Amino acid sequence: MTSHRDLPADWPFDWEPDAYRSGPESGSLEGIDPGFTFDFRSYDDVGDGQRWTTWFDVEPLMRGPEPRPSWVVESRGAIDTELGILKTGKEADVFLVERADPHDPDSAVVMAAKRYRDSNHRSFHRAASYAEGRSVKRSRDERALKRKSTWGRIVAAGEWAIAEWDALKRLYTLGAAVPYPVQIDGVEILMEWITVDGETAPRLAQTRPERDLLASYFDQVRDFLALLVQDGIVHGDLSAYNILAAGDRLVVIDLPQIVDLVGNPNGMDFLLRDCTNICGWFKARGLEVDEQELFGELMAHAF
């Protein structure tokens, strides 16, 4: 430690070591402007299957809408830990990722990480029909998409990730029952993990609800579709397989194919198909519903 004997003769400040010492001996930082002090914590290096949080690697617009849920971890010292794969799909795989600050373990949260594949490793059906009416911002990317070059395949994966990200943000802001979108980084979307008693919520198709709950579920799906139609959009691929049953609450997932009801020439067909798929599932379980009646009701909301 520097002593007063080491200071130059023309040092302009009085040397009062007890007034400037920090630590257990003094218990304070007397004489130091608080603006020049800060808390310091050390962190160990991350291990296998871990990475430093990517929260600060993305631009603010690539983070979820505000106000954010209290469970979102925004600490710079947080670590993301891979917990394993949750599900595989046609166009993407979903993993579980824990984000936690080692100095604040009680704030740890497990999220679903959806990672899109490039077109060499996915089989997204009817992709062209869903993409009609969408625009690609950069002409170079648009040309690459048309040529289906290597870069085009990378762009395509990113476009589908962005499409789902935009849909999640839009629907969450509308108040629709969708997972909270935490952030997007390239082809990876981190979002709320929907659970029941600490386990992944089952798909609606896996449930056998009693009649009262079945009727409540249908009302929720109808309200979800009406909310979208009022905003001029259609899910486009809705079925009992991309709706989660979180107790008595339904949450809709898998949203990259959201289409404009009017701007997409297939918009009306997609809406009718959503109605047909949903009503077919509920009718098979004894609920008296009609897809044409539902379609007409939704069209009344649209215009």
Side-chain angles (χ1 to χ4, degrees), residues 20-282:
Y20 291 88
R21 184 182 301 129
S22 64
E25 298 87 352
S26 66
S28 67
L29 292 172
E30 296 179 20
I32 292 185
D33 186 333
F36 290 96
T37 66
F38 60 90
D39 292 330
F40 176 80
R41 291 176 174 179
S42 63
Y43 290 82
D44 296 329
D45 290 336
V46 296
D48 293 339
Q50 294 183 317
R51 67 187 183 194
W52 292 110
T53 177
T54 55
W55 178 258
F56 295 97
D57 295 340
V58 301
E59 298 178 2
L61 290 177
M62 299 295 100
R63 300 172 193 156
E66 297 181 345
R68 298 185 180 108
S70 59
W71 53 262
V72 175
V73 177
E74 301 181 46
S75 169
R76 286 188 177 273
I79 294 173
D80 294 346
T81 302
E82 293 277 341
L83 300 181
I85 193 164
L86 181 62
K87 105 178 173 63
T88 59
K90 303 183 193 75
E91 73 278 2
D93 297 321
V94 181
F95 299 79
L96 290 181
V97 173
E98 180 191 64
R99 176 166 288 175
D101 185 327
H103 291 286
D104 188 16
D106 291 339
S107 68
V109 63
V110 177
M111 301 172 290
K114 187 169 186 177
R115 295 167 185 163
Y116 278 84
R117 310 188 199 102
D118 65 44
S119 57
N120 280 341
H121 301 92
R122 63 182 172 88
S123 56
F124 193 91
H125 58 298
R126 300 181 300 277
S129 298
Y130 290 114
E132 287 192 60
R134 293 182 186 169
S135 61
V136 179
K137 292 182 179 180
R138 298 199 305 173
S139 59
R140 173 183 175 237
D141 292 345
E142 188 169 8
R143 291 194 301 270
L145 282 170
K146 290 178 179 178
R147 292 197 307 266
K148 299 182 180 179
S149 64
T150 300
W151 176 248
R153 290 192 293 270
I154 295 172
V155 170
E159 286 293 313
W160 284 108
I162 285 290
E164 177 150 30
W165 170 254
D166 288 343
L168 281 169
K169 287 197 303 178
R170 181 175 181 175
L171 297 187
Y172 183 86
T173 302
L174 285 175
V178 297
Y180 176 76
V182 177
Q183 69 175 75
I184 181 173
D185 186 9
V187 297
E188 178 189 76
I189 301 175
L190 290 178
M191 67 185 79
E192 179 183 3
W193 178 36
I194 306 300
T195 64
V196 176
D197 298 328
E199 300 293 332
T200 302
R203 297 172 185 273
L204 179 59
Q206 298 171 310
T207 66
R208 295 294 181 269
E210 297 293 332
R211 185 169 182 81
D212 288 347
L213 184 56
L214 186 70
S216 172
Y217 280 170
F218 181 78
D219 289 342
Q220 291 181 54
V221 176
R222 180 184 57 202
D223 292 345
F224 174 84
L225 289 170
L227 185 64
L228 267 62
V229 167
Q230 288 168 359
D231 204 50
I233 51 179
V234 182
H235 184 282
D237 194 30
L238 191 63
S239 74
Y241 290 93
N242 48 29
I243 301 175
L244 301 181
D248 58 1
R249 180 176 71 101
L250 297 183
V251 179
V252 180
I253 59 172
D254 295 337
L255 301 160
Q257 69 292 316
I258 287 286
V259 298
D260 189 282
L261 178 60
V262 177
N264 187 304
N266 304 298
M268 299 292 184
D269 293 336
F270 285 140
L271 178 59
L272 179 57
R273 190 178 66 200
D274 284 352
C275 293
T276 301
N277 289 341
I278 288 301
C279 287
W281 188 84
F282 280 96

